């Protein structure tokens, strides 16, 4: 079997938009935050202040993104919770029960 057409490495995927659950986006951003923090520590050890400042700015942006996603997720959970309360018949579509018990012998 010849697999010469497959590359040796897989490129990283940026999770800043598109589809996917909020939790998976948050997890991806938290992993990115951890990686950036390690890079910043390395830059500090190497006394590369320019790179350290750049990484600090990027870290702050990622932290803001995480916070925004968490707030959005919390609002969606509260909205779902408030929609679930009250009369269950009000939250059902009008025709959802129509014809459920129709006699099919006719």
């Amino acid at each position: 079997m010849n697999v010469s057409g497959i590359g040796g490495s897989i490129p990283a995927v940026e999770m800043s938009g598109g589809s996917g659950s909020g939790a998976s986006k948050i997890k991806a951003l938290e992993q990115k935050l951890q990686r950036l923090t390690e890079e910043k520590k390395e830059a500090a050890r190497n006394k590369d202040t320019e790179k350290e400042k750049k990484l600090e700015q990027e870290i702050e942006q990622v932290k803001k993104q995480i916070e925004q996603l968490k707030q959005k997720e919390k609002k969606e959970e509260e909205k779902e919770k408030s929609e679930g309360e009250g009369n269950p018949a009000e939250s059902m579509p009008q025709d959802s029960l129509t014809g459920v018990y129709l006699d099919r012998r006719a």
Side-chain angles (χ1 to χ4, degrees):
M1 183 166 140
N2 187 357
V3 223
S4 60
I6 298 176
S9 66
I10 300 172
V13 176
E14 182 67 33
M15 298 288 291
S16 62
S19 64
S21 73
S24 65
K25 289 179 183 179
I26 291 170
K27 186 174 181 179
L29 286 170
E30 286 173 342
Q31 290 173 349
K32 182 176 181 178
L33 181 62
Q34 187 176 10
R35 180 182 53 80
L36 291 171
T37 303
E38 290 300 318
E39 287 182 29
K40 182 183 170 209
K41 288 178 186 177
E42 183 69 25
R45 282 192 293 268
N46 295 334
K47 295 182 172 68
D48 188 346
T49 55
E50 188 176 317
K51 184 174 182 179
E52 192 176 355
K53 287 178 186 178
K54 179 185 166 202
L55 288 166
E56 181 59 36
Q57 291 173 344
E58 198 170 345
I59 286 169
E60 289 304 314
Q61 288 176 338
V62 172
K63 284 181 179 179
K64 286 179 185 177
Q65 288 177 326
I66 291 170
E67 187 59 36
Q68 288 172 345
L69 284 172
K70 285 182 177 180
Q71 287 177 356
K72 182 180 176 184
E73 206 171 63
K74 184 177 179 181
K75 285 180 184 178
E76 288 173 359
E77 287 174 4
E78 289 173 357
K79 182 180 176 185
E80 288 174 6
K81 184 178 179 183
S82 68
E83 287 176 355
E85 295 174 355
N87 187 351
E90 291 176 2
S91 63
M92 293 179 135
Q94 289 290 41
D95 62 348
S96 66
L97 297 176
T98 307
V100 171
Y101 297 106
L102 288 179
D103 188 354
R104 295 186 180 211
R105 290 182 266 159

